[in-house]
Amino acid sequence: MSPRLQRLHDALQGALQGKDTKLVERLGELTLEVGAADYREVALALRDHPELRFEQLIDLCGVDYSTYGARPWERERFAAVLHLLSVSRNWRLRVRVFCPDDDFPKLDSVIDVWPSVNWYEREAFDLLGIVFEGHPDLRRILTDYGFIGHPFRKDFPVSGYVEMRYDPEQKRVVYQPVTIEPREITPRVVREEHYGEETR
């Protein structure tokens, strides 16, 4: 670990004593894993502690770990991953918090800590179904209002559940069950008979 990264590591350990956290260093970057119960308090400490000063949230995304890696996943299925920047200290940090309930993934919103998280939390809600408690306007942002399910979940079918089309008789867009037949596409290589041979 570089001396600069070690300073950040030590500052995080000092500022977050007593909280459910774990620091992981990989590929020259630090990831702070936070327990869901301490998520909002840790977010406030990351922003306000004078040794840290993570003033800016760059990104938040939801992750479905259900088929992660070559082995069965042994932890909670859903997580939110945040990327933070301290402009005054020139530090970057990744924060990961797992949703404790796989059937109803829910976390506290950090919109009052970093207002820039607004649309990111809406996106994670829309695409993965993670509910951010305390968000003032948690509704779909990318899919249609009538959309059923959450398309970034690993168990969501590629063709979806419904399709929409314009019905000229009703003069409006209607939803109907998917009519696409599922099929497996196997690539076929077509080459000329003497492909790759030298020609004279």
Side-chain angles (χ1 to χ4, degrees):
M1 191 181 297
S2 70
R4 194 162 166 280
L5 205 61
Q6 187 65 51
R7 283 197 305 275
L8 173 57
H9 182 279
D10 296 343
L12 286 164
Q13 282 190 325
L16 303 175
Q17 283 182 351
K19 303 286 187 242
D20 180 12
T21 60
K22 176 181 156 190
L23 278 166
V24 178
E25 189 266 334
R26 188 164 180 264
L27 301 174
E29 295 180 353
L30 277 179
T31 299
L32 176 69
E33 289 194 8
V34 182
D38 289 337
Y39 175 45
R40 193 173 176 289
E41 285 183 52
V42 167
L44 285 166
L46 290 172
R47 184 192 68 185
D48 298 337
H49 195 281
E51 294 294 316
L52 302 174
R53 305 296 298 167
F54 285 99
E55 308 99 346
Q56 189 172 356
L57 179 134
I58 298 169
D59 185 29
L60 177 144
C61 68
V63 182
D64 179 354
Y65 284 99
S66 62
T67 58
Y68 182 79
R71 301 183 302 276
W73 184 250
E74 301 292 334
R75 294 193 57 183
E76 300 89 347
R77 176 179 175 181
F78 297 103
V81 178
L82 298 77
H83 291 97
L84 305 177
L85 172 66
S86 171
V87 177
S88 56
R89 300 261 181 205
N90 193 24
W91 279 337
R92 292 178 186 270
L93 179 68
R94 179 183 303 110
V95 177
R96 181 168 63 172
V97 55
F98 283 93
C99 304
D101 185 0
D102 290 347
D103 295 326
F104 185 67
K106 182 175 71 169
L107 294 170
D108 290 331
S109 175
V110 291
I111 195 168
D112 59 330
V113 182
W114 296 290
S116 61
V117 81
N118 183 358
W119 283 16
Y120 298 128
E121 287 184 347
R122 284 182 61 189
E123 180 184 56
F125 165 71
D126 188 6
L127 301 179
L128 287 159
I130 299 172
V131 173
F132 291 91
E133 202 165 39
H135 192 288
D137 188 23
L138 195 62
R139 58 191 163 102
R140 291 192 181 273
I141 191 170
L142 294 171
T143 59
D144 187 52
Y145 291 115
F147 194 87
I148 298 168
H150 303 284
F152 276 17
R153 287 189 176 191
K154 303 254 177 104
D155 55 3
F156 190 83
V158 174
S159 61
Y161 296 112
V162 296
E163 62 187 24
M164 57 188 255
R165 65 174 177 79
Y166 180 76
D167 188 326
E169 292 175 10
Q170 298 182 41
K171 295 187 178 3
R172 67 182 183 92
V173 173
V174 295
Y175 290 92
Q176 65 186 36
V178 175
T179 58
I180 301 170
E181 290 293 325
R183 61 185 175 136
E184 185 176 320
I185 299 174
T186 306
R188 191 178 75 186
V189 178
V190 178
R191 292 193 175 137
E192 297 172 8
E193 191 175 323
H194 300 289
Y195 178 80
E197 293 179 10
E198 286 188 30
T199 56
R200 293 182 186 202

